[in-house]
Amino acid sequence: MRLSLERAPQCAATRSTATSRTRSLSEDWWRTAAPTACSAAPTSAILGPFHVAGPPAAEHGSDIAGDCTGTPIWADIQVTDQEGEPVSGAVVDVWQSNEDGFYDVQLPDLDGPVLGARFTTGEDGRFTFWSILPSEYPIPDDGPVGRMLSAVGRHPYRAPHVHFLINAPGHQPLTTQLFVRGGAHLDGAPGQRDAVFGVKDDLITDFVRRTGPTPDGRPVDGEWRLLEFTFRIAPLTH
């Protein structure tokens, strides 16, 4: 089921048009978030090429999807320390693709950012927002990365996910993703899995199907999804 909004042209693009917007991106984007060597730290994942520095600040409960249509998601995210104590004041960037697999930087007619925002956790370490279910999508494959994938017989598709970049005073930054359980390219034959080997078992989580009343009372016609997750971030070490 879909949000009761007419599809906005700015949220749609042809694959060829969108690909042209990514050709200037560094081929080294997949190197930007190597997992930390500290075993106590939470699981990290690659930053990817579509993060935009300084996304717009958003209030808790905001809808970051703008006019993009898709299956609604209510996300309730908490950030804690390694002992489970809430981390207040953590700054969290969130970004994702639309239902067609495009990020806002790939949409040439887009008027302002969508499907991305910056939140600050409250005293309970939590923040909430509305969005839409992300889709699988191909990474830019017209350069060395594409040639490498072709050489080893792999497709260019990423499994559906939402990105998170967490920064909190006194703690190690965390760049990570949450993958939609049951989504495409999570498993199967090696050549059919996530193109950049970005899926980690503990980052696959349920986007639980729901109907009826929503947590903040927003009317949704039909199905919506509930995402609840806690990130445990590690302290800085000297």
Side-chain angles (χ1 to χ4, degrees):
M1 306 298 290
R2 305 300 184 198
L3 288 170
S4 55
L5 293 170
E6 183 177 353
R7 185 175 182 82
Q10 68 180 25
C11 286
T14 64
R15 183 61 63 186
S16 59
T17 299
T19 299
S20 69
R21 295 293 300 274
T22 66
R23 286 177 175 163
S24 62
L25 294 169
S26 168
E27 290 288 348
D28 289 334
W29 59 264
W30 57 276
R31 305 179 192 272
T32 54
T36 177
C38 177
S39 61
T43 303
S44 62
I46 59 174
L47 180 68
F50 301 119
H51 177 252
V52 177
E59 298 294 325
H60 294 190
S62 296
D63 185 352
I64 70 171
D67 290 332
C68 293
T69 59
T71 301
I73 294 171
W74 172 259
D76 188 341
I77 307 297
Q78 186 177 39
V79 180
T80 73
D81 63 20
Q82 293 286 280
E83 285 70 47
E85 292 298 318
V87 176
S88 64
V91 176
V92 186
D93 290 2
V94 179
W95 69 103
Q96 65 167 90
S97 71
N98 67 8
E99 66 174 350
D100 296 319
F102 297 112
Y103 288 77
D104 58 0
V105 296
Q106 297 177 287
L107 301 174
D109 298 325
L110 184 66
D111 182 19
V114 295
L115 294 169
R118 175 168 289 174
F119 295 93
T120 302
T121 60
E123 291 297 320
D124 57 0
R126 295 173 57 234
F127 65 98
T128 58
F129 61 93
W130 282 100
S131 189
I132 57 174
L133 196 67
S135 174
E136 67 273 15
Y137 62 87
I139 62 174
D141 62 351
D142 55 338
V145 170
R147 292 193 292 273
M148 178 189 70
L149 290 172
S150 178
V152 297
R154 294 186 63 86
H155 64 75
Y157 277 84
R158 297 232 50 214
H161 59 274
V162 179
H163 294 265
F164 296 86
L165 174 60
I166 304 172
N167 286 279
H171 295 81
Q172 297 179 28
L174 175 63
T175 303
T176 193
Q177 302 168 19
L178 293 180
F179 293 88
V180 182
R181 192 183 306 280
H185 309 300
L186 289 178
D187 50 26
Q192 298 303 312
R193 298 174 189 169
D194 184 76
V196 300
F197 307 97
V199 178
K200 314 289 177 59
D201 287 346
D202 57 344
L203 298 180
I204 300 173
T205 192
D206 293 312
F207 287 59
V208 183
R209 297 175 187 270
R210 290 281 190 267
T211 57
T214 61
D216 67 344
R218 176 181 179 171
V220 173
D221 181 17
E223 180 185 295
W224 53 279
R225 301 290 187 98
L226 175 63
L227 168 62
E228 296 178 303
F229 199 85
T230 297
F231 293 108
R232 294 178 180 265
I233 58 176
L236 286 174
T237 56
H238 302 285

Short mmCIF file of all heavy atoms in Angstrom, two decimals, residues 140-164:
data_model
loop_
_atom_site.label_atom_id
_atom_site.label_comp_id
_atom_site.label_asym_id
_atom_site.label_seq_id
_atom_site.Cartn_x
_atom_site.Cartn_y
_atom_site.Cartn_z
N PRO A 140 27.02 2.71 -9.21
CA PRO A 140 27.63 3.16 -10.47
C PRO A 140 28.61 2.11 -10.99
O PRO A 140 29.55 1.72 -10.30
CB PRO A 140 28.35 4.45 -10.06
CG PRO A 140 27.61 4.93 -8.86
CD PRO A 140 27.19 3.69 -8.13
N ASP A 141 28.38 1.64 -12.21
CA ASP A 141 29.18 0.53 -12.71
C ASP A 141 29.82 0.82 -14.06
O ASP A 141 30.11 -0.07 -14.85
CB ASP A 141 28.33 -0.75 -12.81
CG ASP A 141 27.18 -0.61 -13.78
OD1 ASP A 141 26.91 0.51 -14.26
OD2 ASP A 141 26.54 -1.64 -14.09
N ASP A 142 30.06 2.13 -14.34
CA ASP A 142 30.63 2.49 -15.62
C ASP A 142 32.13 2.78 -15.54
O ASP A 142 32.72 3.28 -16.49
CB ASP A 142 29.91 3.72 -16.19
CG ASP A 142 29.91 4.90 -15.23
OD1 ASP A 142 30.06 4.67 -14.02
OD2 ASP A 142 29.74 6.05 -15.70
N GLY A 143 32.75 2.46 -14.41
CA GLY A 143 34.18 2.69 -14.24
C GLY A 143 34.87 1.43 -13.77
O GLY A 143 34.42 0.31 -14.04
N PRO A 144 35.99 1.59 -13.03
CA PRO A 144 36.74 0.42 -12.56
C PRO A 144 35.92 -0.55 -11.72
O PRO A 144 36.11 -1.76 -11.81
CB PRO A 144 37.88 1.05 -11.76
CG PRO A 144 38.05 2.42 -12.33
CD PRO A 144 36.67 2.86 -12.73
N VAL A 145 35.01 -0.01 -10.88
CA VAL A 145 34.20 -0.91 -10.06
C VAL A 145 33.34 -1.80 -10.94
O VAL A 145 33.22 -3.01 -10.72
CB VAL A 145 33.33 -0.10 -9.08
CG1 VAL A 145 32.31 -1.01 -8.40
CG2 VAL A 145 34.19 0.58 -8.02
N GLY A 146 32.73 -1.20 -11.97
CA GLY A 146 31.91 -1.99 -12.87
C GLY A 146 32.70 -3.05 -13.60
O GLY A 146 32.23 -4.19 -13.77
N ARG A 147 33.91 -2.69 -14.03
CA ARG A 147 34.73 -3.68 -14.72
C ARG A 147 35.14 -4.82 -13.79
O ARG A 147 35.20 -5.98 -14.20
CB ARG A 147 35.97 -2.98 -15.30
CG ARG A 147 35.63 -2.02 -16.45
CD ARG A 147 36.87 -1.60 -17.21
NE ARG A 147 37.76 -0.77 -16.43
CZ ARG A 147 37.66 0.55 -16.34
NH1 ARG A 147 36.68 1.19 -16.98
NH2 ARG A 147 38.52 1.26 -15.62
N MET A 148 35.40 -4.48 -12.53
CA MET A 148 35.75 -5.52 -11.56
C MET A 148 34.58 -6.47 -11.35
O MET A 148 34.75 -7.70 -11.34
CB MET A 148 36.16 -4.89 -10.23
CG MET A 148 36.49 -5.90 -9.13
SD MET A 148 36.70 -5.13 -7.51
CE MET A 148 35.01 -4.66 -7.14
N LEU A 149 33.37 -5.92 -11.17
CA LEU A 149 32.19 -6.75 -10.96
C LEU A 149 31.96 -7.67 -12.16
O LEU A 149 31.65 -8.86 -12.01
CB LEU A 149 30.96 -5.88 -10.71
CG LEU A 149 30.91 -5.13 -9.39
CD1 LEU A 149 29.74 -4.15 -9.38
CD2 LEU A 149 30.81 -6.08 -8.21
N SER A 150 32.10 -7.12 -13.35
CA SER A 150 31.90 -7.91 -14.55
C SER A 150 32.93 -9.04 -14.64
O SER A 150 32.59 -10.17 -15.01
CB SER A 150 32.00 -7.01 -15.78
OG SER A 150 31.86 -7.75 -16.97
N ALA A 151 34.16 -8.73 -14.26
CA ALA A 151 35.23 -9.73 -14.36
C ALA A 151 34.99 -10.92 -13.45
O ALA A 151 35.39 -12.05 -13.76
CB ALA A 151 36.57 -9.08 -14.04
N VAL A 152 34.35 -10.69 -12.30
CA VAL A 152 34.13 -11.78 -11.35
C VAL A 152 32.70 -12.32 -11.41
O VAL A 152 32.29 -13.13 -10.58
CB VAL A 152 34.45 -11.33 -9.90
CG1 VAL A 152 35.92 -10.96 -9.77
CG2 VAL A 152 33.56 -10.16 -9.46
N GLY A 153 31.92 -11.86 -12.41
CA GLY A 153 30.58 -12.40 -12.62
C GLY A 153 29.57 -11.97 -11.58
O GLY A 153 28.64 -12.74 -11.28
N ARG A 154 29.70 -10.75 -11.06
CA ARG A 154 28.76 -10.27 -10.06
C ARG A 154 27.87 -9.18 -10.65
O ARG A 154 28.30 -8.40 -11.51
CB ARG A 154 29.50 -9.71 -8.84
CG ARG A 154 30.27 -10.76 -8.06
CD ARG A 154 30.84 -10.15 -6.79
NE ARG A 154 29.81 -9.68 -5.88
CZ ARG A 154 29.21 -10.43 -4.99
NH1 ARG A 154 29.52 -11.71 -4.87
NH2 ARG A 154 28.28 -9.94 -4.20
N HIS A 155 26.63 -9.10 -10.17
CA HIS A 155 25.73 -8.03 -10.57
C HIS A 155 26.08 -6.76 -9.80
O HIS A 155 26.83 -6.81 -8.80
CB HIS A 155 24.27 -8.43 -10.27
CG HIS A 155 23.99 -8.62 -8.81
ND1 HIS A 155 23.87 -7.58 -7.92
CD2 HIS A 155 23.83 -9.75 -8.07
CE1 HIS A 155 23.63 -8.04 -6.72
NE2 HIS A 155 23.61 -9.37 -6.78
N PRO A 156 25.57 -5.59 -10.17
CA PRO A 156 25.92 -4.34 -9.47
C PRO A 156 24.93 -3.93 -8.39
O PRO A 156 25.01 -2.80 -7.88
CB PRO A 156 25.91 -3.32 -10.61
CG PRO A 156 24.82 -3.80 -11.51
CD PRO A 156 24.88 -5.32 -11.45
N TYR A 157 24.00 -4.80 -8.01
CA TYR A 157 22.91 -4.36 -7.14
C TYR A 157 23.24 -4.45 -5.65
O TYR A 157 23.87 -5.40 -5.19
CB TYR A 157 21.63 -5.16 -7.42
CG TYR A 157 20.87 -4.62 -8.59
CD1 TYR A 157 21.23 -4.99 -9.89
CD2 TYR A 157 19.84 -3.72 -8.43
CE1 TYR A 157 20.55 -4.48 -10.98
CE2 TYR A 157 19.16 -3.21 -9.52
CZ TYR A 157 19.52 -3.58 -10.79
OH TYR A 157 18.86 -3.07 -11.86
N ARG A 158 22.77 -3.43 -4.92
CA ARG A 158 22.83 -3.43 -3.47
C ARG A 158 21.50 -3.89 -2.90
O ARG A 158 20.44 -3.62 -3.44
CB ARG A 158 23.13 -2.02 -2.95
CG ARG A 158 24.49 -1.52 -3.40
CD ARG A 158 25.32 -1.01 -2.24
NE ARG A 158 25.36 -1.97 -1.15
CZ ARG A 158 25.42 -1.61 0.13
NH1 ARG A 158 25.43 -0.35 0.47
NH2 ARG A 158 25.47 -2.53 1.08
N ALA A 159 21.56 -4.59 -1.76
CA ALA A 159 20.34 -4.97 -1.04
C ALA A 159 19.68 -3.72 -0.46
O ALA A 159 20.37 -2.73 -0.13
CB ALA A 159 20.68 -5.95 0.07
N PRO A 160 18.36 -3.69 -0.31
CA PRO A 160 17.68 -2.51 0.23
C PRO A 160 18.11 -2.20 1.66
O PRO A 160 18.18 -3.10 2.49
CB PRO A 160 16.20 -2.87 0.16
CG PRO A 160 16.10 -4.26 -0.33
CD PRO A 160 17.44 -4.77 -0.67
N HIS A 161 18.38 -0.92 1.93
CA HIS A 161 18.90 -0.53 3.24
C HIS A 161 18.67 0.95 3.51
O HIS A 161 18.38 1.72 2.60
CB HIS A 161 20.40 -0.83 3.32
CG HIS A 161 21.21 -0.13 2.27
ND1 HIS A 161 21.38 -0.65 1.01
CD2 HIS A 161 21.86 1.06 2.28
CE1 HIS A 161 22.12 0.18 0.29
NE2 HIS A 161 22.41 1.23 1.02
N VAL A 162 18.83 1.31 4.75
CA VAL A 162 18.82 2.71 5.20
C VAL A 162 20.17 2.99 5.85
O VAL A 162 20.66 2.17 6.64
CB VAL A 162 17.68 2.98 6.20
CG1 VAL A 162 17.70 4.43 6.66
CG2 VAL A 162 16.32 2.64 5.58
N HIS A 163 20.76 4.13 5.51
CA HIS A 163 22.06 4.51 6.06
C HIS A 163 21.92 5.32 7.35
O HIS A 163 20.99 6.13 7.49
CB HIS A 163 22.81 5.41 5.07
CG HIS A 163 23.21 4.75 3.80
ND1 HIS A 163 24.45 4.19 3.61
CD2 HIS A 163 22.55 4.58 2.62
CE1 HIS A 163 24.55 3.71 2.38
NE2 HIS A 163 23.41 3.93 1.77
N PHE A 164 22.90 5.14 8.25
CA PHE A 164 22.99 5.93 9.47
C PHE A 164 24.45 6.32 9.70
O PHE A 164 25.35 5.48 9.57
CB PHE A 164 22.49 5.14 10.69
CG PHE A 164 21.03 4.78 10.62
CD1 PHE A 164 20.63 3.62 9.95
CD2 PHE A 164 20.07 5.58 11.21
CE1 PHE A 164 19.29 3.28 9.87
CE2 PHE A 164 18.73 5.24 11.14
CZ PHE A 164 18.33 4.08 10.47
#
